[in-house]
Amino acid sequence: MKVCCSFTALVFLLGAVAVSAQQGSSTADRTLAPFFFVDTDDPSVDQLPLKSVAAQVHIAGVIADVTIEQVYRNEGTRPLEAIYIFPASTRAAVYGMVMHTGDREIIAEIREREQARREYEEARELGQTASLLEQERPNVFKMNVANILPGDSIAVRLSYTELLVPTEKQYEFVLPTVVGPRYSPEAVNEILGPDGGERIPHLHEGEDPNYTYAIEMTLAAGLPIQAYECPTHEVIVEKDTPDELRLTLDPGGGFGGNRDFILRYQLAGQQVESGLLLYEGEKENFFLLMAQPPARPELSQIPPREYIFVIDVSGSMHGFPLTVSKSLMKNLLGQLRPEDRFNIVLFAGAAAVLSDRSLPATQENLDQAWALIDGQQGGGGTELLIGLRSAFNLPLAGEGYARIVSVITDGFVGFEADAFKLVRQRLGQASLFAFGIGSSVNRFLIEGLARAGQGEPFVVLEGGQAPDEAARFQSYISTPILTQVEAGFEGFDAYEVEPAFIPDMLADRPIVVFGKWRGAAAGTVLLGGRTGDQAYSAQFDVSSFQAKPTNGALRYLWARHRIDQLSDDEQANYSDDMRSQITQLGLDYNLLTKYTSFVAIDRRIRNEDGLETVSVPLPLPEGVEDSAVGDGFGTTAVEDEFEMATWLDRSFYRQDALWIDTAFRLDMPIVEVGFGAPGPDALAPFVGLGLDMLVVIEGQAYRLHAEAARPAMQQNMPNPFNASTIISFQIPANMAGPTRLVIYNLTGQIVRVLTDGHLAAGAHVLAWDGKDGNGGEVASGVYIYRLEGASFAITRRMMLLR
């Protein structure tokens, strides 16, 4: 019997997972996402010691200076250590930390990371109040505060600066507020350290934490502010002068700490800051050049393109983020030209490809692609690396085609460095553009992918942005604004200039060059390049700019940029000498890095009775659902590691206990083959393996069933459902016995037990009417149904829509 591979089969391949009871214990050990927060009934331990987070932002010209204050208060009766994971800008140069305990102020000192950790732990064991700030990712930090005594209120303030570079004449300031759940084999353990301890918990979707979140901002642009908007939060704005404004969060706008805060503004006449900023220090002088590139050149003919769209359909994308992705893809597909070719790679716990070769952008092919995308619901892990490899391994469209890979994801992964390295290794094959989807995007991943792929990053907060972002994407790939950019200096003694190589300018944003200088502030800075088929040149007379003490942040910005470049080199394995250089820069310039940390210690011994360690629960980012974290069984949406194997010189990946030939494509019909059933001679060796397999022979897919029967449970029908749904399952003779079929909600609570007793071998069909054990109708949402026996367990998801 031939069966066409439907979109349901794709969901089966990417998301649905069946895990045996024997695998359960190891799976629990491999769980990659945090558990949900469960408060205890012990009144002596304050499980929620973080009481407030407040940001003070001062923007002067193109430099932002930010102070984040976290207030911890112990309302229990036992001393505490609090652990808090929080985000920051990918461009942040963190240069200071201060701890306040009562009327005492302790200025943190920068140390090598291991030394800072030793000093903190020694102070913690001695009973001294101490705080430790560590960088887990360039945009993810960890704060430890030890020996918070009952009744204590301890404030920790960290300070950072960053450079604001306008794009398309628009400035944007982003303040990340929450770390989304990361999918990574080691992400949680990396954050918590070698001792492990409890996992970082998350609150349920839509649930506000008990701490408050506030932002106060002053903007002194230096030029009249023509327009501004805050698309993410409700704000109260006071405009004192044409070039200044003050902003605070509106208290009536609800909790603001579950999505990135974004302020966008334009200056009168769409002007942007350009020229030189100079700073004379005690030992070193620093400069920053910002030069506006020329207008985008006209291009008479755009060569044909091959577009590979790599789309995240994992569990964290379920619901709102995937809806935004679909809106974006509809616009991107709509802009393809008949001479272009395209392909689609969907990834979650595994990857699936629309076609084994890129397709012409005909209406029929575009309709097929859209139907595939529109049918996705989201589920499973976030195996980005598998998705990227699948895209790069596709054969090229042919001579004359320029390949462009577009990655669309929320970025909730924890193996960013591996992704960057993979993209760099394949850089000669394609340029890469990254689209971040959602309210709290992992900008480190999105920006890093684009930088490694010499493309551009985009962030799409909601579906209404999709047309504009798709149009920007098309304009960027049509033709670069400026290529072959070089900087030179005449009569100006510049050295240690960053970046060493200025990439092609795709977006309309200023060219940025950092550096140090010696001697007199005189001479000329030269820029050269090409715009279209014309030469470009610009020069800046250094003597017409004055060094100002207010430009002191340049030393931190230069060092931060240098550290970023070294980190890129380290990830690419260009040198094994990067760690010492990064460490020394952190120590020399008082900066937080992955190898340097801030530690503050109150030397008074205040606690001799031991302490309890609690992890501050994090709110889920706005629009992210509970399914991104866990399902209440001690497992997550990702219940199986991605496995690959080779048999008979063919590669297979394992999904839902089925070994799938990597040559399998979605448009292939599937022939069911039982053991002993006829099939092509080439299939016989695979039949002899005795495994559940999907094997491709001469373009035909064959489904092989193992000799040892296994229990099976089908997707409920219909799904989604309203009044009732049917659940079908089979139990083999060797596994007949006590069997339970239980409905759970996403918090792990039992909603209904459909059967709990001895079941005979064979097929079984049970119905659920959408009611709980007391006969009450349950609410709309996603539910888990789980079939459990003495030696097996199978879990699937279904959706109820009232």
Side-chain angles (χ1 to χ4, degrees):
M1 176 182 65
K2 287 194 175 184
V3 180
C4 289
C5 182
S6 65
F7 302 131
T8 303
L10 178 65
V11 174
F12 162 77
L13 291 174
L14 292 179
V17 221
V19 185
S20 70
Q22 291 92 333
Q23 291 172 317
S25 60
S26 61
T27 299
D29 294 339
R30 295 198 309 262
T31 300
L32 308 184
F35 295 131
F36 287 114
F37 172 71
V38 179
D39 204 353
T40 69
D41 297 327
D42 185 354
S44 66
V45 179
D46 182 0
Q47 298 288 327
L48 304 164
L50 179 64
K51 303 306 177 185
S52 68
V53 177
Q56 295 277 348
V57 183
H58 303 279
I59 299 175
V62 295
I63 296 175
D65 194 75
V66 182
T67 299
I68 307 291
E69 181 183 75
Q70 302 163 2
V71 176
Y72 300 85
R73 187 167 61 250
N74 186 353
E75 296 178 348
T77 61
R78 295 160 68 180
L80 293 179
E81 177 190 31
I83 302 175
Y84 178 43
I85 305 298
F86 62 100
S89 167
T90 55
R91 305 179 186 93
V94 182
Y95 62 84
M97 186 177 86
V98 177
M99 180 176 71
H100 289 266
T101 62
D103 59 353
R104 296 169 68 88
E105 178 181 273
I106 297 95
I107 298 175
E109 297 182 348
I110 195 75
R111 295 280 192 268
E112 290 191 33
R113 181 169 181 142
E114 292 78 6
Q115 181 182 348
R117 169 60 66 174
R118 286 194 300 269
E119 291 183 13
Y120 169 80
E121 291 178 349
E122 180 180 343
R124 180 184 63 191
E125 297 308 312
L126 289 173
Q128 298 168 331
T129 297
S131 56
L132 174 70
L133 177 63
E134 297 174 308
Q135 174 183 304
E136 303 301 332
R137 303 278 191 278
N139 63 335
V140 179
F141 302 153
K142 178 172 68 171
M143 181 72 76
N144 287 65
V145 183
N147 290 305
I148 311 172
L149 302 189
D152 272 357
S153 184
I154 296 176
V156 183
R157 298 191 186 102
L158 64 98
S159 299
Y160 71 84
T161 187
E162 70 172 286
L163 182 68
L164 303 184
V165 180
T167 300
E168 313 302 325
K169 308 296 192 300
Q170 178 175 260
Y171 289 86
E172 181 177 83
F173 171 77
V174 179
L175 183 65
T177 65
V178 66
V179 177
R182 294 292 193 264
Y183 172 79
S184 165
E186 288 83 27
V188 175
N189 290 334
E190 282 181 7
I191 289 176
L192 290 177
D195 295 335
E198 60 182 291
R199 295 174 183 270
I200 300 299
H202 276 80
L203 301 174
H204 289 289
E205 59 185 88
E207 183 180 355
D208 291 342
N210 79 319
Y211 64 84
T212 60
Y213 193 90
I215 298 175
E216 294 184 2
M217 172 186 287
T218 60
L219 168 60
L223 293 167
I225 302 169
Q226 176 177 296
Y228 59 86
E229 66 164 345
C230 179
T232 57
H233 292 70
E234 295 181 28
V235 294
I236 299 172
V237 178
E238 299 178 15
K239 197 168 183 182
D240 298 326
T241 66
D243 60 348
E244 296 182 344
L245 62 79
R246 288 180 292 146
L247 175 153
T248 57
L249 291 188
D250 186 342
F255 180 70
N258 63 349
R259 57 200 181 276
D260 290 353
F261 171 88
I262 299 176
L263 177 71
R264 299 182 180 128
Y265 60 96
Q266 290 179 314
L267 304 182
Q270 293 193 327
Q271 297 183 72
V272 299
E273 183 82 29
S274 61
L276 271 173
L277 297 179
L278 302 174
Y279 173 72
E280 290 184 333
E282 293 182 4
K283 299 180 180 179
E284 296 177 310
N285 306 326
F286 297 84
F287 73 88
L288 166 65
L289 171 67
M290 294 186 70
Q292 187 65 19
R296 186 177 298 278
E298 295 291 335
L299 192 66
S300 58
Q301 185 176 6
I302 302 174
R305 309 280 188 176
E306 180 193 18
Y307 297 88
I308 309 296
F309 299 103
V310 183
I311 307 172
D312 184 350
V313 292
S314 65
S316 63
M317 295 289 289
H318 179 76
F320 171 77
L322 194 51
T323 299
V324 175
S325 295
K326 290 177 181 179
S327 178
L328 174 66
M329 276 304 303
K330 195 163 192 176
N331 282 273
L332 292 175
L333 291 174
Q335 294 190 2
L336 300 187
R337 303 167 302 165
E339 61 267 31
D340 294 330
R341 289 181 173 266
F342 77 99
N343 211 332
I344 292 173
V345 177
L346 302 179
F347 72 91
V353 182
L354 175 65
S355 176
D356 57 356
R357 289 186 175 275
S358 293
L359 302 172
T362 64
Q363 192 59 53
E364 180 182 1
N365 288 334
L366 292 172
D367 289 344
Q368 178 188 2
W370 173 244
L372 170 64
I373 296 165
D374 195 40
Q376 300 308 305
Q377 294 183 355
T382 313
E383 292 285 359
L384 172 62
L385 295 178
I386 293 172
L388 288 173
R389 289 192 186 102
S390 296
F392 285 121
N393 287 340
L394 287 168
L396 296 173
E399 292 291 333
Y401 284 89
R403 172 172 283 189
I404 295 168
V405 175
S406 299
V407 179
I408 300 173
T409 178
D410 55 15
F412 289 170
V413 302
F415 39 78
E416 296 96 337
D418 294 329
F420 303 158
K421 182 177 179 181
L422 173 61
V423 173
R424 288 193 195 94
Q425 290 173 340
R426 303 297 188 96
L427 188 56
Q429 300 176 12
S431 57
L432 184 143
F433 292 75
F435 291 84
I437 306 295
S439 64
S440 300
V441 170
N442 180 4
R443 291 172 184 262
F444 173 47
L445 177 78
I446 300 303
E447 294 172 8
L449 283 174
R451 185 169 65 249
Q454 295 186 2
E456 284 286 330
F458 302 81
V459 174
V460 187
L461 301 174
E462 44 85 22
Q465 282 186 273
D468 290 342
E469 296 306 303
R472 280 210 306 145
F473 170 69
Q474 285 296 332
S475 69
Y476 288 0
I477 64 174
S478 296
T479 179
I481 290 179
L482 196 60
T483 61
Q484 303 175 30
V485 191
E486 294 182 349
F489 307 92
E490 292 182 354
F492 181 56
D493 190 4
Y495 66 103
E496 294 191 32
V497 175
E498 293 288 339
F501 167 75
I502 303 174
D504 292 348
M505 305 293 294
L506 302 179
D508 181 4
R509 68 167 60 95
I511 303 165
V512 177
V513 180
F514 292 96
K516 301 177 183 179
W517 54 279
R518 291 179 286 245
T524 305
V525 179
L526 305 172
L527 285 177
R530 297 199 65 81
T531 174
D533 56 0
Q534 302 292 320
Y536 161 83
S537 64
Q539 60 183 38
F540 299 84
D541 180 5
V542 177
S543 61
S544 62
F545 301 91
Q546 292 185 342
K548 297 179 180 179
T550 53
N551 293 335
L554 293 185
R555 66 190 303 269
Y556 301 127
L557 296 175
W558 173 86
R560 176 76 258 175
H561 195 277
R562 179 65 179 147
I563 289 167
D564 289 344
Q565 295 297 311
L566 290 170
S567 297
D568 286 348
D569 291 347
E570 183 179 51
Q571 292 165 3
N573 293 325
Y574 294 154
S575 172
D576 58 0
D577 192 35
M578 302 298 106
R579 177 173 183 138
S580 61
Q581 294 184 55
I582 294 171
T583 300
Q584 197 59 51
L585 283 165
L587 296 175
D588 290 346
Y589 293 93
N590 211 64
L591 288 179
L592 182 72
T593 72
K594 59 182 173 181
Y595 302 130
T596 54
S597 303
F598 282 104
V599 60
I601 300 173
D602 184 343
R603 297 299 176 181
R604 297 176 298 173
I605 296 178
R606 307 180 65 229
N607 173 32
E608 298 179 351
D609 299 326
L611 48 70
E612 296 282 340
T613 298
V614 296
S615 297
V616 176
L618 306 182
L620 280 178
E622 184 177 66
V624 174
E625 300 185 5
D626 282 352
S627 57
V629 176
D631 62 20
F633 303 112
T635 62
T636 67
V638 184
E639 288 135 338
D640 226 353
E641 289 181 337
F642 188 83
E643 297 180 66
M644 293 201 71
T646 300
W647 287 290
L648 305 171
D649 296 325
R650 300 283 289 275
S651 296
F652 294 79
Y653 62 88
R654 184 174 176 175
Q655 187 67 41
D656 201 17
L658 176 68
W659 289 101
I660 301 171
D661 195 327
T662 55
F664 176 72
R665 295 292 178 260
L666 299 178
D667 54 358
M668 292 180 179
I670 300 174
V671 175
E672 295 282 340
V673 178
F675 286 95
D681 293 341
L683 193 62
F686 296 97
V687 173
L689 294 173
L691 298 171
D692 282 324
M693 307 184 81
L694 193 62
V695 183
V696 177
I697 304 292
E698 296 181 352
Q700 172 68 63
Y702 296 89
R703 173 68 162 89
L704 310 183
H705 295 270
E707 291 178 321
R710 295 188 177 96
M713 182 168 62
Q714 284 70 50
Q715 185 67 46
N716 63 303
M717 293 294 292
N719 185 47
F721 70 99
N722 176 258
S724 65
T725 190
I726 298 298
I727 301 172
S728 304
F729 57 94
Q730 296 82 39
I731 298 177
N734 62 328
M735 294 186 181
T739 307
R740 282 164 47 96
L741 180 59
V742 185
I743 311 294
Y744 296 85
N745 62 23
L746 285 179
T747 67
Q749 297 172 317
I750 295 177
V751 175
R752 182 84 171 269
V753 178
L754 295 184
T755 186
D756 187 1
H758 190 286
L759 291 184
H764 298 267
V765 178
L766 295 175
W768 183 42
D769 57 5
K771 295 180 180 180
D772 60 24
N774 297 320
E777 291 189 346
V778 300
S780 296
V782 177
Y783 291 86
I784 309 297
Y785 58 105
R786 184 175 177 89
L787 182 68
E788 302 172 346
S791 60
F792 67 88
I794 305 174
T795 300
R796 294 197 185 280
R797 296 170 184 263
M798 58 182 159
M799 179 174 289
L800 170 61
L801 297 176
R802 293 293 186 189

